[in-house]
Amino acid sequence: MLELGPDEAVRLQFLEEAQDYLQTIEAGVLELGATPSTQVIDGVLRAAHSIKGGAAMMGFTLLSDLAHRLEDFFKVVRSRPCDDAETHHLLLRAVDQLQSVIALNRQGLEPNQAWLHTQAEPIFNQLHERLGDPKAEDELSLLSGDDGHAMRVVLFETEVEACLQRLEAVIQDPQQPCLKEEMAIASQELEGLGQMLEIPQFAQFCATVSNYLAQPECDISATAASIIQQWRRCQALVLTGQLEALPTALTLDLPEEAEEQTVFDLGLDDLNQELGVEDFASAEVNGFSLDDVLPSPEPPVPSTAPAPTVVSAPPKPDTQEPREMTVRVAGHHLDVISDLLGELLIECNGLDLQRTRLHRLLDTLKQKVRLLEQANFRLRTEYDRVSGTVGATHPISAQAQHGFDSLEFDRYTDVHLLSQEVMETIVQIQEITSDLDLGLEDTERTSRDLNRTAKQLQVRFTQVRMRPFADLANRYPRVIRELSQEHGKTVDLVIEGSHILIDRTVLSVLADPLMHLVRNAFDHGIEPAPEREALGKPPTGTILLKAAYRGNQTVITVADDGRGLNPEKIRQTASRLGVPAGWLATASDRDLLELIFEPGFSTATQVSNLSGRGVGMDVVRTNLKQIRGDIHINSAPNQGTTFTITIPYTLSVVRVLLVEAAHMLLAVPTEAVAEMVLADQYLPVETLGHPLIDWEGYMTPVVALDEYFQFSRPYRPVEAEGTPIINDPTLMILAQGDMALAVKVDRYWGEQEVTIRHVDSDLALPHGFSGCTILGNGRIVPLIDPLALLDGFEKGRDRPLRTTDALPLSTQDTILVVDDSVNVRRFLATTLEKAGYHVEQAKDGQDAIDKLEAGLQVNALVCDIEMPRLDGFGVLAHIKRIPHCHNVPVVILTSRTGQKHRQLAQHLGAAAYFSKPFREAELLETLAQLIRHGT
């Protein structure tokens, strides 16, 4: 992504703000058509004025001119209310033209003259013919009486407040970027505002600020705080209606102490004294609170100047929360932070995993210390017994006994001293173990705090990524209004749950599907007024657009009270499209309704530009699958149709169940799992080639994942931390809408909150997968898509997914390394695993034979000769007695290089003989040949 310069970034940021202002204007015009209100038109005027002034300052001349003309029209509407629907429609079309200009400006382009003359000018000319130019009385009506004061209050609460907050943010930045330029822009903007509101004192004051900033010798870094403080005082005076007290010139002769104060050092009592009011906080100003301008009082800074006499007013309880500042952040920055939070979650899971390992290691250490203590006790007891026997056989001289016999005086040898040292070492190790235990408890406490903080951070950031449902839903009232005028239907759009927060990525994907459903409801659902009245319905139809939370999912409903869907018409259309007649004859109404989501299926007799425009409902479901969403339909003839959309609460983090199936560790989102039951508790019944179980009175089909997922890859045992929670075959009941599926898995390992990672590849993921996740130990785990499984089973794709025959379990060759040196075993294991082998280890020959007799399947042995209990020659002799090891090659790897040892090993059946040190490549090549010939 190309980095934008600071000027260009500011211009683009303004265009984003202008887009929000246009949405305010559009919503205001729609509200004017229903319930005219002076407050609404004032908000529209402020938005148009903000676009006009900001666009002029940023160099968007055409946008500024069009916004100025639109502002003039709204001035006329405010002073002379207009209820004409056609005028409101033209105002909305004028807003569309401004949106087109903004879209081009974002791309660094300007509209050409042809577009201006053919598209924009006709609309603005028609508005001019209907409304004319604002007259002097129109301008005066904006500022006369209470309305004029209210307008000033509103603008100083919004425009001036935003400007001053921007400057304060620049001052608080240690580098103070472009401070002088920002101050100059703000001064010109506020001067223009003062002239528009006919506040000459304020305009003159801002002009003196501009003159000061134009001086080359001005030290803006030293005086910026004072200038902003004086602007704050002007703001407070305007908000309280004391225009006569406004200053007309900038004053910079402040006490030295004032230069060290912050911008917000004016207390409430001082403000009362300055403004000459008894209680500023109780001043009757509509829509204004002192907290919007000034923070709570701080302790006064000591000064040599005489302090004014102030009468303290009793504190008033706060009745209004202070206005919060908002910032605009580019979307890709949020994506980067989201990825970092995902990494933090993975690292927290890894920390929990390491903590569990430390617990396990500490328990092992404690066990080994106890064993060492017992061994030392047995050693000392045995030595005492042997010493007593030797002493009885060889009595010690009386001189050596210092005159005491063995019962009267204990005697200690070097072995006793060594045993005592061992015992003291054991005690010290026990003390260290206790310290480790305490340290691990502190680590656990810190880890819990970190997890809690990370969780709170994730929740807060998820809320930052979210936008209210109103951002999307507010687009549709205008659509319904224009469709009603065009097609002669009277339809009310009811929006519920506007405050529901939805991930902004989800909102962007939902825009087209919801538009499709709303237009479909208007076109195919709502009947004409005469038809509705004949059915006993009110002539005005209703479309409901509702958002709500359900568990960890968001549910969006689009419903109408129209004619509903006709199952018989769907049946006829399906028959015409070639759906088997046998299936249609037995299909239920619900099955028929699901057909409308099939590609190319449409019951419309002709393509129109109103609803589907020839595009079927399959596009809606396809778009929803991009965000792991689904859609279901319910309909009743002459009562209406309801579409229910379910989407996850967030797309970045999901809670999953870790299960093992098809020799893989898999992650399944918990939101789709209704229940987990042991497989042996339900006896499957074969019906039409599919096993079914009776789950809560519903015959539910069963799918075994080890049969469903089969791939051409070597199988490795699943290596997970700890032990599985359920170590028996288990059924996961996946439920979505009215569909359910019992998925059989081999084991259940637990539940985790993980971050979703998408797989970027030219090869499509196999059906049934939607991405992957990363566990705390760095293992990548595929993420199952339950909706795809349900959909695949419903469409008859419940057959094993295979392109070629799967490789057998023994494809990855296993080698048993037998050596009494743990370091040699580790070195050989590392070498062989790098070459692609699975390695098992045995600490001596007897251990190897025990493992082989217990059923361990290996392809080759690498064995030392000199080992305790059973040496390498013994291994060669015993391995031939094990039935499944007759053809297993044994490679001897020893430090003995003599010909005698080599010949004996070959006579006992050794396949190869290597001496230490050995050549790694030669050993690997020999093993590969032996295994290949042996198989």
Side-chain angles (χ1 to χ4, degrees):
M1 176 177 291
L2 296 177
E3 290 291 336
L4 299 175
D7 293 340
E8 189 62 25
V10 171
R11 284 163 57 89
L12 291 178
Q13 182 178 352
F14 164 74
L15 292 177
E16 293 292 336
E17 294 177 357
Q19 187 66 45
D20 292 342
Y21 285 132
L22 287 182
Q23 293 179 3
T24 300
I25 295 174
E26 182 177 301
V29 173
L30 291 174
E31 191 170 348
L32 285 176
T35 55
S37 167
T38 302
Q39 186 177 2
V40 172
I41 193 62
D42 287 344
V44 170
L45 268 171
R46 288 196 302 273
H49 174 77
S50 298
I51 297 175
K52 178 192 72 174
M57 187 170 58
M58 296 296 171
F60 300 116
T61 307
L62 179 58
L63 180 61
S64 177
D65 293 342
L66 294 180
H68 191 179
R69 297 177 65 180
L70 190 61
E71 181 188 15
D72 288 342
F73 295 143
F74 286 128
K75 289 178 181 179
V76 176
V77 172
R78 188 185 187 282
S79 61
R80 291 171 281 167
C82 177
D83 297 332
D84 182 22
E86 183 60 27
T87 301
H88 293 166
H89 179 65
L90 288 172
L91 289 172
L92 291 173
R93 292 184 60 189
V95 172
D96 292 340
Q97 306 313 307
L98 267 68
Q99 288 178 338
S100 300
V101 174
I102 290 176
L104 288 173
N105 290 155
R106 278 203 189 101
Q107 304 172 30
L109 304 174
E110 287 288 341
N112 55 43
Q113 292 298 319
W115 176 87
L116 186 62
H117 292 313
T118 59
Q119 299 293 329
E121 286 294 345
I123 296 174
F124 282 88
N125 290 339
Q126 292 181 57
L127 282 171
H128 186 266
E129 292 175 1
R130 289 175 172 269
L131 299 174
D133 293 322
K135 301 177 181 178
E137 55 268 23
D138 297 330
E139 298 281 357
L140 292 175
S141 67
L142 296 176
L143 303 173
S144 61
D146 295 336
D147 289 341
H149 176 63
M151 175 63 74
R152 295 189 187 98
V153 167
V154 169
L155 289 177
F156 267 73
E157 277 188 323
T158 56
E159 300 295 326
V160 177
E161 179 67 22
C163 182
L164 295 181
Q165 285 182 1
R166 186 175 71 245
L167 295 178
E168 288 159 357
V170 175
I171 289 181
Q172 292 171 4
D173 190 324
Q175 299 179 355
Q176 295 186 348
C178 306
L179 176 59
K180 187 172 183 179
E181 291 78 3
E182 290 286 349
M183 294 287 290
I185 292 173
S187 178
Q188 295 174 8
E189 183 179 342
L190 295 178
E191 182 181 356
L193 184 63
Q195 293 173 355
M196 186 194 76
L197 296 177
E198 296 185 355
I199 310 177
Q201 304 97 314
F202 183 70
Q204 186 176 353
F205 174 81
C206 295
T208 61
V209 174
S210 299
N211 294 335
Y212 168 73
L213 296 174
Q215 298 176 7
E217 65 276 7
C218 77
D219 186 5
I220 188 60
S221 60
T223 57
S226 176
I227 295 174
I228 296 176
Q229 182 179 1
Q230 294 183 59
W231 265 329
R232 283 290 184 187
R233 184 171 183 272
C234 293
Q235 181 191 29
L237 291 170
V238 173
L239 292 174
T240 55
Q242 301 188 56
L243 303 183
E244 66 281 356
L246 284 169
T248 58
L250 176 65
T251 304
L252 294 178
D253 54 345
L254 299 175
E256 293 182 0
E257 293 83 350
E259 295 180 1
E260 300 177 357
Q261 296 179 359
T262 63
V263 177
F264 306 106
D265 63 348
L266 191 58
L268 177 60
D269 297 332
D270 298 330
L271 188 60
N272 293 338
Q273 181 75 15
E274 287 285 338
L275 300 182
V277 297
E278 294 182 359
D279 188 0
F280 178 81
S282 62
E284 297 182 358
V285 180
N286 293 331
F288 172 72
S289 169
L290 178 63
D291 292 336
D292 292 335
V293 180
L294 300 174
S296 58
E298 297 180 359
V301 179
S303 174
T304 57
T309 303
V310 179
V311 179
S312 301
K316 297 281 186 177
D318 293 336
T319 58
Q320 181 178 351
E321 295 183 357
R323 182 182 295 107
E324 295 183 359
M325 288 184 62
T326 59
V327 295
R328 289 182 177 273
V329 180
H332 70 275
H333 292 319
L334 293 179
D335 294 336
V336 171
I337 297 176
S338 179
D339 292 340
L340 291 176
L341 283 174
E343 295 299 326
L344 177 61
L345 181 60
I346 293 173
E347 291 168 4
C348 286
N349 290 337
L351 180 60
D352 291 339
L353 196 60
Q354 295 296 333
R355 194 163 41 82
T356 303
R357 288 175 179 171
L358 286 176
H359 263 301
R360 194 159 53 246
L361 290 174
L362 188 59
D363 292 340
T364 303
L365 178 61
K366 292 178 181 178
Q367 181 183 4
K368 297 300 182 183
V369 170
R370 287 194 296 269
L371 293 176
L372 183 60
E373 187 178 4
Q374 295 172 5
N376 182 66
F377 177 77
R378 289 198 303 270
L379 175 63
R380 186 161 183 170
T381 302
E382 184 66 19
Y383 177 77
D384 290 341
R385 185 182 64 79
V386 173
S387 298
T389 303
V390 173
T393 307
H394 305 283
I396 303 176
S397 64
Q399 182 180 2
Q401 297 178 3
H402 300 288
F404 297 99
D405 59 22
S406 59
L407 297 178
E408 294 177 322
F409 194 85
D410 292 334
R411 295 165 180 81
Y412 297 95
T413 64
D414 292 341
V415 176
H416 285 93
L417 296 177
L418 181 61
S419 176
Q420 184 65 29
E421 290 180 2
V422 172
M423 179 58 66
E424 291 179 357
T425 303
I426 292 174
V427 172
Q428 293 173 359
I429 294 176
Q430 289 175 337
E431 293 175 352
I432 295 174
T433 303
S434 300
D435 293 340
L436 288 175
D437 210 353
L438 294 174
L440 188 56
E441 289 181 3
D442 294 338
T443 303
E444 284 185 341
R445 190 179 306 109
T446 304
S447 176
R448 286 193 297 269
D449 294 340
L450 177 61
N451 284 331
R452 182 173 61 253
T453 303
K455 180 64 176 178
Q456 293 174 351
L457 182 61
Q458 180 68 48
V459 170
R460 293 294 185 183
F461 180 73
T462 299
Q463 294 174 350
V464 169
R465 286 185 59 91
M466 292 189 165
R467 296 294 303 162
F469 181 58
D471 284 5
L472 180 61
N474 288 341
R475 304 179 185 180
Y476 304 120
R478 179 181 173 184
V479 174
I480 295 299
R481 180 178 182 274
E482 293 182 348
L483 290 177
S484 298
Q485 293 179 349
E486 182 178 353
H487 297 276
K489 290 184 181 179
T490 306
V491 180
D492 289 337
L493 178 64
V494 179
I495 299 176
E496 297 181 4
S498 299
H499 63 285
I500 294 296
L501 297 176
I502 301 176
D503 191 293
R504 62 186 66 230
T505 303
V506 174
L507 275 183
S508 62
V509 176
L510 281 176
D512 289 339
L514 284 184
M515 179 66 75
H516 191 99
L517 293 176
V518 169
R519 296 176 72 99
N520 260 351
F522 182 92
D523 186 17
H524 301 303
I526 303 298
E527 314 94 332
E531 183 178 339
R532 292 180 62 85
E533 291 177 344
L535 294 172
K537 297 182 179 180
T540 300
T542 301
I543 298 176
L544 173 66
L545 189 57
K546 179 181 179 181
Y549 292 134
R550 186 175 65 193
N552 58 353
Q553 292 183 318
T554 304
V555 179
I556 298 176
T557 304
V558 181
D560 65 73
D561 63 348
R563 59 172 62 94
L565 292 174
N566 188 342
E568 191 57 36
K569 188 175 182 180
I570 295 176
R571 194 189 307 270
Q572 294 172 3
T573 303
S575 177
R576 189 171 61 253
L577 293 176
V579 178
W583 185 89
L584 289 175
T586 59
S588 64
D589 288 350
R590 184 176 297 277
D591 296 332
L592 293 173
L593 293 179
E594 288 294 322
L595 288 177
I596 70 172
F597 296 109
E598 294 298 322
F601 192 94
S602 177
T603 58
T605 56
Q606 61 182 3
V607 177
S608 68
N609 291 325
L610 177 54
S611 54
R613 297 172 297 282
V615 179
M617 293 288 292
D618 64 300
V619 176
V620 174
R621 177 166 279 180
T622 301
N623 288 353
L624 291 175
K625 286 183 177 180
Q626 298 176 10
I627 52 176
R628 307 202 320 269
D630 199 15
I631 183 171
H632 295 280
I633 182 174
N634 286 296
S635 183
N638 296 324
Q639 295 183 18
T641 303
T642 300
F643 291 92
T644 303
I645 297 173
T646 55
I647 52 178
Y649 179 74
T650 177
L651 299 180
S652 57
V653 177
V654 64
R655 196 156 190 86
V656 298
L657 303 179
L658 295 176
V659 298
E660 179 184 344
H663 307 285
M664 293 189 299
L665 195 62
L666 305 170
V668 184
T670 58
E671 61 198 31
V673 180
E675 188 178 358
M676 293 189 70
V677 296
L678 292 176
D680 57 8
Q681 294 181 358
Y682 290 85
L683 183 63
V685 178
E686 292 287 337
T687 304
L688 299 177
H690 295 295
L692 303 175
I693 62 170
D694 184 2
W695 176 67
E696 296 187 355
Y698 297 95
M699 298 306 294
T700 305
V702 180
V703 172
L705 284 185
D706 56 354
E707 299 177 1
Y708 198 87
F709 294 135
Q710 295 186 14
F711 304 104
S712 300
R713 62 162 178 83
Y715 295 148
R716 295 188 61 180
V718 172
E719 298 175 359
E721 296 293 330
T723 57
I725 295 178
I726 303 178
N727 199 21
D728 296 306
T730 306
L731 294 177
M732 289 190 308
I733 309 298
L734 304 182
Q736 186 71 25
D738 58 346
M739 295 187 297
L741 186 66
V743 178
K744 187 176 181 181
V745 298
D746 300 329
R747 294 176 186 84
Y748 167 57
W749 287 90
E751 186 176 354
Q752 273 193 26
E753 192 171 61
V754 298
T755 303
I756 299 175
R757 290 288 183 262
H758 297 286
V759 180
D760 295 328
S761 173
D762 295 333
L763 298 177
L765 286 174
H767 181 74
F769 292 102
S770 62
C772 66
T773 186
I774 304 176
L775 301 184
N777 58 1
R779 179 173 186 147
I780 298 176
V781 178
L783 184 66
I784 293 293
D785 184 357
L787 296 178
L789 287 181
L790 291 166
D791 183 60
F793 187 84
E794 286 293 317
K795 294 183 178 180
R797 289 183 287 181
D798 53 321
R799 54 184 179 275
L801 293 178
R802 66 176 78 199
T803 54
T804 59
D805 290 337
L807 298 180
L809 185 61
S810 59
T811 297
Q812 188 178 27
D813 299 318
T814 301
I815 297 179
L816 177 61
V817 176
V818 187
D819 201 300
D820 60 330
S821 170
V822 63
N823 292 323
V824 172
R825 292 202 307 269
R826 288 177 177 176
F827 176 76
L828 284 173
T830 302
T831 301
L832 295 172
E833 286 175 348
K834 287 182 179 178
Y837 295 104
H838 176 67
V839 179
E840 295 287 343
Q841 300 182 31
K843 63 183 179 181
D844 54 38
Q846 187 60 51
D847 188 26
I849 294 300
D850 292 341
K851 289 184 176 182
L852 293 173
E853 290 179 343
L856 177 64
Q857 301 288 332
V858 298
N859 299 91
L861 268 75
V862 178
C863 184
D864 191 13
I865 289 182
E866 295 173 306
M867 296 178 292
R869 296 204 296 172
L870 184 67
D871 57 28
F873 297 131
V875 172
L876 288 170
H878 281 77
I879 194 172
K880 301 301 180 182
R881 305 173 189 172
I882 302 175
H884 65 276
C885 294
H886 286 302
N887 298 321
V888 174
V890 179
V891 176
I892 297 296
L893 179 63
T894 178
S895 59
R896 295 294 181 178
T897 59
Q899 190 65 24
K900 180 178 180 180
H901 294 85
R902 184 183 297 270
Q903 289 179 353
L904 181 58
Q906 291 175 350
H907 292 160
L908 291 174
Y913 192 98
F914 288 87
S915 58
K916 303 174 184 177
F918 64 94
R919 293 181 179 178
E920 181 178 320
E922 185 178 352
L923 175 63
L924 294 176
E925 182 179 358
T926 301
L927 284 172
Q929 293 176 357
L930 291 173
I931 293 174
R932 185 164 58 250
H933 293 159
T935 55

